[in-house]
Amino acid sequence: MNHAEIDRFRYDAHTARAALTIIAILLVLTVLAIFSSQNDSSRDLLVGLATIVFLVALLGAFFYAAKQRPVTLKVGPDGIDLPFAFKEPLAWHNIDRIEQSPAIGLWQKREWLRIYPVPGVLPEYRLQSPRWLEAWHVLRSGISVPLHGIEGPSERILASIRRFHPIHPS
């Protein structure tokens, strides 16, 4: 396989920075709520500290994403790959249809792709969950790919996919 034929699309740094800002605000509000609380219960303090640890870990993950801008979508002759979601690319012959939902949203337009595998094919996900639940979800709503979280114009991503598979409006 020629690696030059593979299009790689990176995570949008703007999205990560917006998430960073929201998480940082939640972290500050949590810290203020803990230290201004009149209740000195050790349970409340423990829950507050656990919340702070969780928010700091989330902040670190989004900071890493904003800094590294990892590849979130690969399109090539072997199929479509979502490195964060799939263990292996989903081959084109295993895809029944791909639908593009119209851009919707009040504040910011959100675009999605829905990938529907052929019956009996279920990609292996990195994050394990019961297979019956994965099958039920994929059968009902397909595999959702947010185009608004990927850097660059969505038309570039769609053109890359159209080289190998048609895209239908939903």
Side-chain angles (χ1 to χ4, degrees), residues 56-78:
V56 166
L58 212 62
L59 197 63
F62 277 95
F63 180 73
Y64 177 81
K67 195 106 168 119
Q68 299 296 317
R69 288 193 13 243
V71 172
T72 58
L73 175 67
K74 294 179 189 176
V75 178
D78 290 340

Side-chain angles (χ1 to χ4, degrees), residues 11-30:
Y11 187 75
D12 182 21
H14 175 70
T15 304
R17 283 194 294 272
L20 268 171
T21 304
I22 292 169
I23 295 168
I25 291 169
L26 288 174
L27 182 61
V28 168
L29 291 175
T30 302

Side-chain angles (χ1 to χ4, degrees), residues 4 10 35 62 69 74 80 89 102 106 119 122 141 146-147 152 169-170:
R10 297 189 177 281
F35 290 116
F62 277 95
R69 288 193 13 243
K74 294 179 189 176
I80 192 163
L106 296 175
L122 186 62
S141 58
L147 297 179
S170 59

Side-chain angles (χ1 to χ4, degrees), residues 92-143:
W92 296 114
H93 65 271
N94 287 330
I95 297 175
D96 182 37
R97 71 185 188 282
I98 300 175
E99 294 179 355
Q100 176 188 6
S101 63
I104 56 172
L106 296 175
W107 179 10
Q108 186 179 19
K109 298 295 181 196
R110 304 280 188 210
E111 293 180 272
W112 293 84
L113 277 184
R114 304 263 189 245
I115 302 170
Y116 295 90
V118 296
V121 171
L122 186 62
E124 193 162 341
Y125 293 99
R126 290 196 184 279
L127 182 60
Q128 294 297 311
S129 60
R131 292 299 272 179
W132 66 267
L133 183 60
E134 292 172 1
W136 176 80
H137 177 71
V138 168
L139 187 64
R140 288 187 52 144
S141 58
I143 299 162

